[in-house]
Amino acid sequence: MSAATGAVTDALRELHARFADVDEGELADYIPQLALADPGAFGLALISMDGHCYSTGDAGVPFTVQSVSKPFVYALALSLLGLDEVSRWVNAEPSGEAFNAISLEHGTGRPDNAMVNAGAIVTTALIPDTPVAPRFGRILDCLSRFAGRRLDVDEEVYASEAATGDRNRALAYLIRSTGPLPVDPVAAVETYFRQCAVRVTALDLAAMAATLANGGVNPLTGDTVVSEPVAAQVLAVMATCGMYDSSGDWLLRVGLPAKSGVSGGLIAAGPARFGLATYSPLLDPTGTSVRGHRAIGMLSERLGLHLMYNPALAGSTVTLVTTADDLPAAPTGERERVRRGRVAVAAAQGALDFTAAERVLYALDEAASGRTGAVVLDLVRVTDIDTVARAMLRSGLARIADDGRRTAVADPDGRLCGPGDESGGPRRFGSREEAVTWCTETVAGPAAAAPRPNTP
Ligand code: GLU
């Protein structure tokens, strides 16, 4: 392990050491097999968007996924049926109630959300069941793709829950009596029990959470498991409903989309940052792992991971706002200097999204004073432009052009205007100096014969 990445593992180890001796909480025992878990087991795992894996303690110890399966089966339902259809059957409101409560909408019988048992049973029932692709086969495939390896079922835990799960059966019958459950309640609950008995490790759960955080693409395998909108929808429901009846408090204090399960698994996702998972089977009264809750809470606080602390963009987006006569390459002659003084220049760097594009547009306005006749946007040090930022920058430059100013971009990689994209966009050059030179010629009077856009 290299020194740098060792620092991440050290952070996990420190949390492990800090909370390993906490012996508060109880093993779940309403599924008899779960009461046999080792109360001392404690593992942590974190997987980055680049697929870098960090873990400590019992991160490779298998246990059953239980409720942590719910967001992933919800993701499968959303992928197959779409948000509107799924929402007809399962709402997305925090229930504020325990995982096994009768959380059904008054009048319709629609479960409050897919993170509590009532909603999860309906979600499972929504997965199509055909001879070629049986319902449980689809679910196991989907969970496996999220984990990046083939998962299997712990038959003993399944049998244990099947033998004792009357409350879930009762819930399913109740749902059918108040609103139309699309399948036979017994069949729905049996599949739901199997889904809960799928065996995972904390490392698997970290990969599953990381896939949601990574817009649906598993960072270990590169597999697109669900689309980006579906991943965002699932994270939203996890954020508001993932932690049973302490979901509000969790969002307030920890601030990450999360899901806990009664076997002691707990996942949290930092959108576009990481997937995190813990395993420790001693549960608090709401059914969440005591050590897991504390470890993720502390990590979030220490590393500033709370979603609502949206940090300012790292590094400044805009690196230069000036006119071309101030640039180091400005030539000596007075006439030329005056001409260059009429060319506004703004430069940006890094990855441009909505926030960054707003800054760049503001800088362009700042650079383009009344006396400038042309505007150069230097994107040479920009590494990426998302579709929103691209549209904003193009329309901003178009408005400047409509105002009667020449516009040019230094965009050697064609990030703003791709090759062959000459239709009305700003003139593209391979370097800032070439763009400035062209603008200097054009601001002086009728445009000199403009060179073709540069292709590096
Ligand atoms: N199989 C469990 C049940 O339905 C899952 C509950 C949970 O993990 O919250 O009771």
Side-chain angles (χ1 to χ4, degrees):
M1 182 193 306
S2 80
T5 53
V8 181
T9 309
D10 281 352
L12 296 182
R13 282 194 188 138
E14 201 195 318
L15 291 170
H16 187 275
R18 192 177 183 106
F19 297 116
D21 292 338
V22 172
D23 61 359
E24 294 158 42
E26 303 288 334
L27 295 172
D29 59 3
Y30 70 101
I31 300 173
Q33 278 285 320
L34 296 186
L36 304 179
D38 170 9
F42 186 26
L44 296 102
L46 184 150
I47 296 183
S48 75
M49 300 297 84
D50 299 315
H52 304 153
C53 298
Y54 305 93
S55 62
T56 192
D58 298 314
V61 167
F63 58 97
T64 54
V65 65
Q66 298 300 333
S67 259
V68 183
S69 63
K70 290 170 183 171
F72 302 99
V73 178
Y74 186 53
L76 177 61
L78 291 170
S79 296
L80 294 170
L81 306 172
L83 181 58
D84 289 344
E85 178 60 15
V86 171
S87 299
R88 283 181 54 218
W89 301 99
V90 188
N91 206 351
E93 290 301 330
S95 65
E97 292 185 294
F99 67 97
N100 57 3
I102 305 170
S103 310
L104 308 179
E105 192 175 53
H106 194 66
T108 65
R110 185 171 61 149
D112 284 332
N113 66 70
M115 301 298 119
V116 293
N117 289 7
I121 292 167
V122 173
T123 307
T124 298
L126 289 174
I127 307 301
D129 188 27
T130 61
V132 186
R135 176 175 296 122
F136 183 68
R138 290 179 193 252
I139 290 173
L140 188 61
D141 282 351
C142 175
L143 295 176
S144 300
R145 288 177 64 196
F146 269 109
R149 74 175 182 100
R150 192 71 199 159
L151 301 176
D152 63 4
V153 173
D154 183 325
E155 294 294 343
E156 282 178 275
V157 174
Y158 163 73
S160 180
E161 184 163 21
T164 55
D166 287 339
R167 187 176 172 97
N168 282 323
R169 290 194 188 90
L171 261 180
Y173 278 110
L174 198 60
I175 295 163
R176 193 170 67 169
S177 74
T178 51
L181 185 68
V183 296
D184 166 29
V186 173
V189 173
E190 291 315 306
T191 309
Y192 167 76
F193 289 157
R194 286 197 85 74
Q195 139 195 343
C196 289
V198 168
R199 210 175 345 221
V200 291
T201 65
L203 267 163
D204 291 326
L205 290 187
M208 296 169 84
T211 302
L212 287 177
N214 196 33
V217 178
N218 184 317
L220 300 177
T221 61
D223 182 13
T224 302
V225 184
V226 293
S227 69
E228 212 169 353
V230 163
Q233 287 155 6
V234 174
L235 289 174
V237 175
M238 284 167 65
T240 52
C241 312
M243 296 296 286
Y244 307 123
D245 38 339
S246 65
S247 295
D249 189 67
W250 173 274
L251 187 59
L252 176 67
R253 292 173 197 275
V254 182
L256 292 169
K259 184 73 196 88
S260 63
V262 291
S263 52
L266 174 57
I267 58 170
R273 290 171 157 186
F274 59 81
L276 186 59
T278 57
Y279 170 57
S280 172
L282 290 175
L283 307 180
D284 67 19
T286 70
T288 293
S289 166
V290 175
R291 294 185 191 125
H293 188 145
R294 294 195 190 166
I296 293 180
M298 181 164 283
L299 195 72
S300 171
E301 194 182 314
R302 284 200 180 159
L303 305 185
L305 302 176
H306 196 298
L307 277 187
M308 308 304 168
Y309 292 150
N310 220 335
L313 288 177
S316 55
T317 305
V318 175
T319 54
L320 178 75
V321 184
T322 189
T323 47
D325 56 329
D326 270 345
L327 297 176
T332 46
E334 179 58 14
R335 199 164 143 250
E336 187 64 4
R337 212 187 55 74
V338 170
R339 281 174 161 196
R340 288 176 67 100
R342 299 194 59 217
V343 179
V345 182
Q349 68 177 5
L352 305 188
D353 60 2
F354 164 81
T355 315
E358 184 277 333
R359 289 178 171 168
V360 174
L361 292 175
Y362 196 90
L364 281 176
D365 278 343
E366 230 179 337
S369 72
R371 77 203 162 85
T372 53
V375 172
V376 170
L377 175 58
D378 178 354
L379 300 175
V380 171
R381 290 172 64 194
V382 163
T383 52
D384 190 31
I385 306 184
D386 73 14
T387 44
V388 173
R390 185 176 301 114
M392 287 170 71
L393 293 179
R394 288 185 65 125
S395 90
L397 287 165
R399 292 165 85 111
I400 292 172
D402 287 348
D403 249 15
R405 290 188 172 89
R406 289 296 177 98
T407 55
V409 287
D411 184 18
D413 299 325
R415 295 187 198 282
L416 187 66
C417 324
D421 176 17
E422 316 298 354
S423 54
R427 182 76 67 170
R428 178 164 79 92
F429 294 89
S431 72
R432 181 203 296 167
E433 198 41 43
E434 285 172 88
V436 166
T437 304
W438 178 69
C439 285
T440 310
E441 287 159 6
T442 58
V443 289
R452 290 306 305 151
N454 195 358
T455 25

